[in-house]
Amino acid sequence: MKIVVTGGAGYIGSHTCVELLENGYDVIVIDNLSNSSFEALRRVEEITGKKVEFHNVDIRDKSSLSGIFKLLSETLLPLSLKDNTAVIHFAGLKAVGESVSFPLEYYNNNITGTINLLEVMKEYGVKNLVFSSSATVYGNPHTLPIKENFPLSVTNPYGRTKLMIEEILKDLHLSDPSWNIALLRYFNPVGAHKSGKIGEDPFGIPNNLFPYIAQVAVGRLPFLNIFGNDYHTEYNREDGTGVRDFIHVSDLAVGHIKALPKLFTNCGVVTYNLGTGKGHSVIELVSAFEKASGVEIPFKIAPRRAGDIAACYADPSKAEKELGWKATRTVDDMCRDTWNWQKNNPNGFRL
Ligand code: NAD
Ligand code: WQD
């Protein structure tokens, strides 16, 4: 079985490539390296001892995309593409704040890119897709934990691209029920592969909590700003800092492996939360990271960050029931693996 992985050189994509290769899938990565490094894929090969077919292509470049699927159809002959391939679609821009400043870039990259991809998939009869959606589509939920049938709302262009793509995919399936699509809504992916060879390597100052803490720990940044300790909801009882469902990226990667066979059961459009079901506060995370690394993380309490919600965590029971998937790694595992990656690669993939 051949799996086309768009955005496969990125953070979640590279960890998913490891799991795919270790589960016997052939992997074809399409990535324009706009937010990643080829070195990540070299290390995926090092970890697994297997080859990755790589195309340095922008998914908005339709003729190059078409060329990749043409080659794929020729190499698979006499097998059909429909029954022997699937696409996992990670490629996209993902920084919430940047999307507010540059909405057109986000709509162009994420929406136009996805439509191009879908058109080429349709042309070649590849109708099995796993899409990287996000818990951001739930907006600010009224109660927790979040179930897949909660109301959807978004507050920024990034989130809107995710919600729009979900809607586009539902329309596509309505028009042609032979499409099978898994919408995976990730909560807060963190951590790194246990080998310490691949991990999150954001370009510039990190936007997200975990890479920020890791860069403070390794001395690249002086201290952490904690955005608000005055969230006084029933879910923020401990210390008033934000609460999130942090999920180990390797658990998330396994979620994709579990979703693939579902596509071949003629499932139509299915939606799953990929989270642990547990909320942890920012302060709890800082303490866990200090314990795992033995390094003190200096922090200052700063004002709340615009657009942040107080608390968010998943009800992941649908994925467990229907896919047989459950996150197994703890917050301590997430901290240990992030630290192992960061201390061995203080400058990420840049040697
Ligand atoms: P990432 O930036 O590390 O990976 C995305 C990859 O896509 C990068 O390698 C980038 O170079 C590539 N890419 C971007 N635009 C492209 C284009 N037009 N053509 C080809 N390649 C392109 O991000 P990630 O954290 O691995 O996220 C993967 C997916 O999961 C994204 O769609 C993101 O929106 C979604 N997601 C991420 C999170 C998170 O917190 N990391 C949470 C929910 C959903
Ligand atoms: C987590 C908590 C912050 C940085 C984002 C996207 C979401 C999804 C996952 C893609 C919050 C606090 C953070 C810092 C801090 N991505 N924090 N100091 O905002 O939950 O989710 O990534 O789909 O769409 O919005 O993640 O890691 O940025 O923040 O105090 O320097 O850490 O306020 O409470 P978030 P995050």
Side-chain angles (χ1 to χ4, degrees):
M1 175 79 68
K2 293 197 185 275
I3 310 297
V4 174
V5 185
T6 74
Y11 172 47
I12 306 171
S14 56
H15 288 79
T16 304
C17 286
V18 168
E19 297 297 329
L20 286 167
L21 292 165
E22 288 181 342
N23 281 277
Y25 291 101
D26 292 332
V27 171
I28 300 165
V29 167
I30 302 173
D31 200 305
N32 65 358
L33 302 182
S34 60
N35 196 37
S36 54
S37 311
F38 176 72
E39 177 63 14
L41 291 177
R42 203 196 58 72
R43 298 208 188 166
V44 166
E45 292 185 338
E46 198 178 301
I47 293 167
T48 59
K50 296 190 176 161
K51 296 299 279 179
V52 172
E53 181 181 323
F54 173 58
H55 300 273
N56 186 342
V57 161
D58 191 306
I59 56 165
R60 289 165 296 178
D61 172 357
K62 202 167 175 186
S63 71
S64 297
L65 214 51
S66 211
I68 297 168
F69 279 79
K70 183 164 186 290
L71 188 70
L72 178 59
S73 67
E74 287 162 3
T75 47
L76 266 176
L77 275 173
L79 300 175
S80 78
L81 279 179
K82 186 179 182 314
D83 300 324
N84 295 284
T85 56
V87 175
I88 305 183
H89 179 32
F90 294 106
L93 300 176
K94 64 162 182 177
V96 171
E98 190 182 65
S99 80
V100 175
S101 306
F102 304 103
L104 296 181
E105 280 79 349
Y106 272 68
Y107 290 122
N108 184 288
N109 198 81
N110 294 6
I111 306 277
T112 309
T114 300
I115 291 174
N116 255 343
L117 174 70
L118 296 171
E119 284 175 349
V120 173
M121 287 174 67
K122 184 177 162 198
E123 184 186 339
Y124 286 89
V126 178
K127 295 182 179 177
N128 303 309
L129 178 74
V130 178
F131 173 61
S132 296
S133 190
S134 168
T136 199
V137 300
Y138 296 114
N140 194 355
H142 291 304
T143 57
L144 296 175
I146 298 173
K147 286 178 175 295
E148 287 83 353
N149 60 6
F150 271 29
L152 305 179
S153 72
V154 284
T155 54
N156 58 71
Y158 164 72
R160 209 158 281 125
T161 67
K162 291 291 168 193
L163 193 50
M164 283 180 182
I165 294 169
E166 286 201 3
E167 298 295 341
I168 290 169
L169 292 171
K170 287 175 190 163
D171 284 340
L172 184 60
H173 172 259
L174 268 182
S175 74
D176 174 359
S178 65
W179 280 85
N180 292 301
I181 299 169
L183 309 175
L184 302 185
R185 295 180 180 152
Y186 314 153
F187 280 68
N188 285 60
V190 299
H193 189 261
K194 63 179 188 294
S195 65
K197 289 182 194 293
I198 55 172
E200 188 166 14
D201 180 24
F203 291 172
I205 308 277
N207 299 304
N208 299 114
L209 179 65
F210 241 75
Y212 206 106
I213 293 179
Q215 292 194 16
V216 171
V218 86
R220 273 170 72 175
L221 294 167
F223 61 88
L224 171 73
N225 282 304
I226 294 185
F227 300 135
N229 65 350
D230 57 350
Y231 287 107
H232 300 304
T233 77
E234 62 180 299
Y235 306 107
N236 303 77
R237 283 212 189 91
E238 292 300 318
D239 51 46
T241 62
V243 164
R244 295 291 184 276
D245 186 336
F246 297 98
I247 172 163
H248 196 295
V249 65
S250 295
D251 277 333
L252 194 66
V254 173
H256 295 73
I257 307 300
K258 297 285 190 185
L260 282 173
K262 182 80 182 171
L263 298 178
F264 294 90
T265 63
N266 211 11
C267 63
V269 180
V270 287
T271 307
Y272 299 104
N273 285 340
L274 296 188
T276 64
K278 296 186 191 77
H280 291 279
S281 77
V282 174
I283 289 275
E284 267 183 87
L285 254 291
V286 171
S287 304
F289 202 93
E290 287 180 331
K291 193 174 100 194
S293 64
V295 177
E296 192 195 343
I297 310 293
F299 67 82
K300 293 183 182 168
I301 302 296
R304 291 181 182 190
R305 185 172 63 178
D308 270 355
I309 57 174
C312 167
Y313 56 89
D315 176 343
S317 58
K318 187 176 174 214
E320 183 175 6
K321 192 160 154 247
E322 295 186 16
L323 302 179
W325 173 87
K326 191 178 191 311
T328 59
R329 293 159 178 92
T330 63
V331 160
D332 289 341
D333 298 332
M334 301 172 206
C335 293
R336 181 200 60 223
D337 292 341
T338 301
W339 178 235
N340 188 32
W341 150 252
Q342 191 72 69
K343 77 171 185 301
N344 289 317
N345 303 272
N347 297 311
F349 292 113
R350 288 161 294 279
L351 303 169

